[in-house]
């Protein structure tokens, strides 16, 4: 039973004797029940009396998900008293944990170095054998122990000209500056900025926060330093504003306990169409003159830009839906003409359109759109990765008249509907803001064009995203021959991907409803 083994580790070590055998045992541990995996066929099944006595229940109660770490910890508890004879096993027990406890193993090396340098070197050599030297070196630095880092580096293949100057420069630094430099180099940014705070290097901290976008950490570190917090909040607001996260920028800017730049806050809210919030904070601070100087111009600018955006959306739908309809009619009436081939009536009855080993002038159904002809072997040589990449670029562009235009139009309309859904709430906030400031005509104009765009989106969904049951596309073979599957390599493969993408069932997007403001009329 597992519990019996856990209570007899001292006896296990005494009987096993050789430390190399202990290492072998520890290194082979896995988080699994070996009676159900490795020894499933040889293990005796418990009889009914054993089950009644609870033997099987005892085994099943052992959590195998933590098996390795529990055994390693139990070994470490016993091995701490056997350092002289089982030093290597102590290191192994740490490294064999899941995940490896590299810092635990390195801590053993660090303690030994203070007691016996020879033992420390032996331990360092062994841990480098068990784990990746570069990871060990980084962990040793992360413990801020330069002596252990040097020991590990000496066991590696590193060039002393690389690590010695670096370790020497760290040794010459003050403790906090050394810790900052190490954490910065290891990519532990949150720890690094905390060291800058302890160093009281505020200007450097601000630059570091901007460079690595650590505004939340900087704010947390200075929550009890109002003046410095104001400066950090300004930097954070500028960062958010530059990434069009206007609502968060506005909220960050109007932290009244930290910042007094109300004008910037109002402008930011207006950019995000949060006009009601802008009016609220202006009224709260009794700066009503900002309504006419900032909020009203923001409403005018917002209504103009929104109207322009919605007009573009409407124009796109009016242009793309008819074009898509035209393409589908053409494809249904004459597929070969759609793929830029010859008219089907011009194909002689005795000419096969299936690929053969002989050169044909007609080409295949799949190669017509590229106007390529030749033998199968010749065509295959052209289907290189370069051709495929070029064809993928053509597919992405969806050039008018190409075989990829239909797929491009469907995806384009889908993206447009997503965009209209995203701006739905912005339009509502804009209309409310316009009505609050008595700009009824502008509000009505924005509402009208938004309703038209939403109606156009809803009206085209069924047609654009129609789902039809279609048979798998097969190339027709010659009389008496089996059909040939469409090739899926090279440039032809890109087109085949687009065909299959078009034939897969598409879930039509849901167009959000737009609720008019009753006061607009």
């Amino acid at each position: 039973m597992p519990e019996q083994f856990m209570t007899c580790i001292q006896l296990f070590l005494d009987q096993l004797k050789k430390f190399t055998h202990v290492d072998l045992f520890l290194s082979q541990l896995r988080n699994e029940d070996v009676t159900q995996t490795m020894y499933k066929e040889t293990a005796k099944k418990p009889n009914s009396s054993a089950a009644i006595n609870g033997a099987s229940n005892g085994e099943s109660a052992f959590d195998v998900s933590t098996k390795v770490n529990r055994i390693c910890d139990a070994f470490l508890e016993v091995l701490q008293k056997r350092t002289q004879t089982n030093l290597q096993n102590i290191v192994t027990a740490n490294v064999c944990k899941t995940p490896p406890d590299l810092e635990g193993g390195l801590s053993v090396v660090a303690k030994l170095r203070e007691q016996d340098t020879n033992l420390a070197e032996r331990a360092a050599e062994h841990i480098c054998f068990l784990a990746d030297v570069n990871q060990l070196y980084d962990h040793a630095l992360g413990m801020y122990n330069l002596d252990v880092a040097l020991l590990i580096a000496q066991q590696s293949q590193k060039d002393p000209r690389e690590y010695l100057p670096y370790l020497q420069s760290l040794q010459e630094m003050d403790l906090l500056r050394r810790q900052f430099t190490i954490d910065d180099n290891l990519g532990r940014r949150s720890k690094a900025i905390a060291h800058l705070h302890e160093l009281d290097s505020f200007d450097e901290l601000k630059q570091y926060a901007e460079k690595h976008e650590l505004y939340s950490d900087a704010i947390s570190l200075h929550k009890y330093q109002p003046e410095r917090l104001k400066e950090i909040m300004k930097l954070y607001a500028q960062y958010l504003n530059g990434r069009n996260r206007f609502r968060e920028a506005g909220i960050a800017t109007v932290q009244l306990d930290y910042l007094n730049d109300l004008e910037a806050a109002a402008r930011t809210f207006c950019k995000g169409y949060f006009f009601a919030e802008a009016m609220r904070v202006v009224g709260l601070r009794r700066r009503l003159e900002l309504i006419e100087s900032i909020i009203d111009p923001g409403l005018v600018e917002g209504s103009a830009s929104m109207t322009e955006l919605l007009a573009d959306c409407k124009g796109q739908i009016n242009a793309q839906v008819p074009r898509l309809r035209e393409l589908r009619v053409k494809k249904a009436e004459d597929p070969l003409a759609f793929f830029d081939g010859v008219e089907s009536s011009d194909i002689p009855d005795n000419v096969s359109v299936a690929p053969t080993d002989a050169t044909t002038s007609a080409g295949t159904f799949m190669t017509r759109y590229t106007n390529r002809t030749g033998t199968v072997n010749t065509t295959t040589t052209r289907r290189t990765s370069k051709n495929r990449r070029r064809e993928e670029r053509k597919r992405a562009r969806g050039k008018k008249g190409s075989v990829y235009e239909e797929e491009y139009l469907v995806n384009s309309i889908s993206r447009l509907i997503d965009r209209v859904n995203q701006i739905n709430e912005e339009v509502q906030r804009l209309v409310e803001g316009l009505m609050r400031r008595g700009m009824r005509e502008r509000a009505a104009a924005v509402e009208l064009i938004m309703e038209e765009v939403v109606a156009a989106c809803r009206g085209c969904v069924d047609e654009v995203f129609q789902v039809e049951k279609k048979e798998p596309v097969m190339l027709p073979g010659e009389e008496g021959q089996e059909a040939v599957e469409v090739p899926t390599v090279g440039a032809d493969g890109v087109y085949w991907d687009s065909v299959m993408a078009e034939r897969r069932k598409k879930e039509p997007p849901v167009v959000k409803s737009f609720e008019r403001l009753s006061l607009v009329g």
Side-chain angles (χ1 to χ4, degrees), residues 11 28 35 40 52 61 63 114 149 185 192 222 257 263 265 270-271 299 358 388 392 414 430 435 455 471 475:
L11 177 61
Q28 295 300 311
T35 64
K40 183 177 181 179
I52 294 174
D63 185 6
E114 297 174 358
N185 291 336
H222 295 87
D257 293 336
E263 295 182 13
C270 290
K271 288 181 181 179
L299 284 165
R388 184 176 181 89
E392 286 172 346
S414 177
L430 173 61
M435 289 299 295
E471 297 298 326
L475 285 178

Side-chain angles (χ1 to χ4, degrees), residues 450-465:
M450 181 63 179
E451 284 186 323
E452 291 175 350
V453 171
V454 170
C457 290
R458 285 184 169 176
C460 75
V461 165
D462 291 342
E463 179 181 1
V464 172
F465 301 95

